[in-house]
Amino acid sequence: MEKPTKKHIGKNISRIREMKGMKQTTLAELLGISQQQVSMLENSEEVEDSKLVAVAEVLEVPVQALKEYSDEKVLNIITSTFNDSATLNNMGNYHPTFNPLDKVVELYERLLAAEKEKMAMLEKMMGK
């Protein structure tokens, strides 16, 4: 029987921080600690709950996400999102049934007509 692998919470914090595009120094400032303390935190297998709550709040993720983060889960979500045929059909094979330039010209003509109406109304008001 296989022994369950223990989650390395520090690595989870590091991965989520990196995905958010945040540097250790930024996380340190937001937590009110030094960059070296963040480094030590990210190298720790276990993190006390009070620190975990603070980190989760700064990273804007649930504490559970820090405890149970897995690259495999993230990759599965990304893969299923980008390989969805409905998504690909809606995004990659879009062919409008109209000429977009015709729509631009139509919009321009409507704007021009509205401006002419405004001018006529102003001239009428000025004449009175």
Side-chain angles (χ1 to χ4, degrees):
M1 189 177 264
E2 278 187 44
K3 188 177 179 183
T5 57
K6 185 161 177 119
K7 297 282 184 182
H8 193 289
I9 295 178
K11 285 183 183 177
N12 294 350
I13 292 170
S14 175
R15 294 291 291 145
I16 292 172
R17 175 185 57 76
E18 289 168 356
M19 282 193 294
K20 295 233 175 212
M22 186 182 290
K23 295 184 181 255
Q24 279 188 343
T25 52
T26 306
L27 181 59
E29 288 173 12
L30 293 171
L31 290 172
I33 59 177
S34 70
Q35 183 270 327
Q36 290 81 9
Q37 288 173 305
V38 169
S39 180
M40 288 172 37
L41 182 73
E42 290 182 353
N43 288 316
S44 303
E45 272 191 49
E46 293 184 21
V47 177
E48 57 188 62
D49 286 339
S50 61
K51 285 184 183 177
L52 207 55
V53 169
V55 171
E57 201 171 287
V58 168
L59 292 176
E60 298 175 335
V61 296
V63 174
Q64 204 65 21
L66 295 175
K67 290 181 178 179
E68 297 180 3
Y69 172 82
S70 149
D71 284 336
E72 293 81 30
K73 287 180 184 177
V74 171
L75 288 175
N76 284 340
I77 291 170
I78 291 170
T79 303
S80 67
T81 302
F82 286 111
N83 287 335
D84 182 14
S85 62
T87 304
L88 289 175
N89 285 338
N90 287 338
M91 293 172 60
N93 296 329
Y94 178 70
H95 300 288
T97 57
F98 57 88
N99 185 346
L101 288 177
D102 289 343
K103 293 296 180 181
V104 171
V105 169
E106 185 181 314
L107 178 62
Y108 176 76
E109 288 172 348
R110 285 193 303 192
L111 288 170
L112 192 58
E115 287 299 316
K116 285 181 182 178
E117 281 182 36
K118 286 180 193 174
M119 289 301 291
M121 192 178 295
L122 282 172
E123 287 173 357
K124 188 177 181 182
M125 289 174 65
M126 296 293 281
K128 286 189 177 179

